[in-house]
């Protein structure tokens, strides 16, 4: 578990990060670093970022989370973002920001299911 | 200088927050969120206002390092609205058309924030001059269904 304010837990081969605080830019930047260090430390196959507590996701946070997913992918880890609130989804699309290249799921349960599928079936791309 | 609005309104309450450290972005965001909820904007409008506030405060912090956010509660007849004004004496925006089209990319991507923000609100006004500063005013009116 890394030193920042966002807890990162290991559930089997998956890392679960739950964001429950209003994000300062430096916190989300530190979170990105913490996640990548944890992936290396634990050899996690999957990463789930739970944003169900986030009421506001602006373009900086969205971009940083999406980039975190891409960085994790380079390290061989699949990322799923779970719990995006309706208002957050609506706002991001209206702004024109699509989080491409990252899996999403409605709930933690579905996220874990999706991780199982993604990490046991080889990627054919 | 009074900004031209499509709707005649009065300001029923106002708050000013100085932006001169990163934590102020969160403070502006939280204040806007509280006010929008207090005045019963729906969750989508609350998110739109809060996100817009976040984008615009961040622009002030990142590009000017110092500025102000003014948050007004507006009344127009029976309609309630929230107006936000962000002002700084920063570098200004050289190519406004490009910035508003979303094509302007700097370290923290000014362009995306500006063009995206415009789509979240009802009214969007900008004054900017290179070397002098920037002032952005946005307004969102509560929808009564």
């Amino acid at each position: 578990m890394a030193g920042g304010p966002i807890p990162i837990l290991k559930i089997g081969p998956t890392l679960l990060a739950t964001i429950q605080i209003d994000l300062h830019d430096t916190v989300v930047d530190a979170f990105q670093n913490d996640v990548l260090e944890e992936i290396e430390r634990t050899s996690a196959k999957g990463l789930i970022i739970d944003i169900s507590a986030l009421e506001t996701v602006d373009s900086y946070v969205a971009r940083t989370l999406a980039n975190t997913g891409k960085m994790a992918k380079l390290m061989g880890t699949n990322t799923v973002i779970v719990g995006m609130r309706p208002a957050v989804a609506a706002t991001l699309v209206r702004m024109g920001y699509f989080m491409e290249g990252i899996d999403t799921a409605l709930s933690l349960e579905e996220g874990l299911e999706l991780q199982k599928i993604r990490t046991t079936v080889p990627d054919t791309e | 200088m009074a900004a031209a609005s499509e709707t005649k309104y009065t300001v029923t309450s106002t708050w000013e927050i100085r932006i001169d450290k990163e934590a102020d972005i969160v403070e502006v965001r939280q204040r806007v969120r509280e006010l929008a909820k207090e005045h019963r904007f729906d969750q989508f409008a609350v998110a739109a206002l809060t996100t817009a506030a976040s984008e615009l405060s961040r622009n002030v912090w990142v590009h000017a390092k110092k500025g102000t956010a003014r948050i007004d509660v507006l009344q127009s007849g029976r309609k309630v609205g929230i107006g936000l004004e962000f002002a700084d004496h920063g570098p200004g925006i050289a190519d406004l058309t490009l910035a508003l089209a979303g094509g302007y990319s700097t370290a923290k991507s000014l362009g995306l924030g500006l063009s995206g923000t415009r789509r979240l609100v009802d009214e969007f006004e900008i004054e900017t001059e290179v070397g002098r500063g920037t002032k952005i005013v946005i307004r969102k009116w509560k929808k009564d269904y």
Side-chain angles (χ1 to χ4, degrees), chain A residues 22-27 29 55-61 63 86-88 90-91 93-97, chain B residues 22-23 25-26 29-30 33 37 43-44 47-48 50-51 54-55 58 108-109 112-113 116-117 119-120:
Chain A
D22 215 342
L23 293 169
H24 292 244
D25 289 9
T26 46
V27 169
D29 289 343
E55 292 184 279
T56 310
V57 174
D58 63 19
S59 66
Y60 186 72
V61 171
R63 190 174 18 250
V88 169
T91 305
V93 172
R94 282 178 185 139
M95 279 202 289
Y97 191 80
Chain B
E22 194 202 78
I25 299 171
V26 176
R29 202 156 77 198
Q30 287 175 341
R33 185 186 296 134
K37 284 185 175 177
Q43 60 167 318
F44 298 94
T50 309
T51 307
S54 195
E55 300 286 344
R58 176 175 297 101
K108 280 208 180 186
S109 201
L112 182 66
T117 299
R119 284 180 227 135
L120 299 177

Side-chain angles (χ1 to χ4, degrees), chain B:
Chain B
M1 179 179 144
S5 168
E6 290 146 31
T7 321
K8 275 212 172 96
Y9 61 85
T10 55
V11 177
T12 55
S13 47
T14 184
W15 285 264
E16 196 166 280
I17 298 174
R18 262 210 281 266
I19 299 171
D20 56 19
K21 54 189 186 300
E22 194 202 78
D24 295 330
I25 299 171
V26 176
E27 191 190 331
V28 172
R29 202 156 77 198
Q30 287 175 341
R31 196 76 197 95
V32 169
R33 185 186 296 134
E34 274 162 26
L35 276 170
K37 284 185 175 177
E38 189 186 307
H39 290 278
R40 318 255 178 132
F41 280 73
D42 68 44
Q43 60 167 318
F44 298 94
V46 172
L49 274 163
T50 309
T51 307
S54 195
E55 300 286 344
L56 297 178
S57 323
R58 176 175 297 101
N59 283 349
V60 169
W61 165 245
V62 170
H63 298 277
K65 285 290 175 278
K66 195 164 136 160
T68 51
R70 202 186 69 224
I71 307 168
D72 297 328
V73 178
L74 316 170
Q75 192 79 38
S76 178
R78 287 174 51 194
K79 265 206 311 181
V80 173
I82 287 178
L84 306 176
E85 180 185 291
F86 295 85
D88 64 64
H89 294 293
I93 301 167
D95 191 335
L96 188 54
T97 315
L98 188 63
L100 290 171
Y104 210 106
S105 213
T106 59
K108 280 208 180 186
S109 201
L110 174 64
L112 182 66
L114 221 45
S115 63
T117 299
R118 204 183 189 188
R119 284 180 227 135
L120 299 177
V121 298
D122 298 319
E123 297 171 43
F124 180 101
E125 291 147 20
I126 181 166
E127 286 170 43
T128 185
E129 194 181 326
V130 173
R132 295 283 298 276
T134 303
K135 184 165 86 171
I136 299 177
V137 178
I138 58 175
R139 294 181 201 92
K140 192 163 182 79
W141 297 95
K142 189 168 71 162
K143 308 226 183 307
D144 298 312
Y145 293 107

Side-chain angles (χ1 to χ4, degrees), chain A residues 72-87:
Chain A
K73 183 117 200 168
L74 284 177
M75 293 177 74
T77 301
N78 188 66
T79 304
V80 182
I81 287 186
V82 307
M84 191 180 292
R85 294 202 182 181

Side-chain angles (χ1 to χ4, degrees), chain A residues 9-16 42-46 112:
Chain A
L9 307 174
K10 192 123 187 295
I11 303 178
T14 304
L15 283 177
L16 169 61
T42 63
S43 305
K45 291 265 181 311
L112 287 165

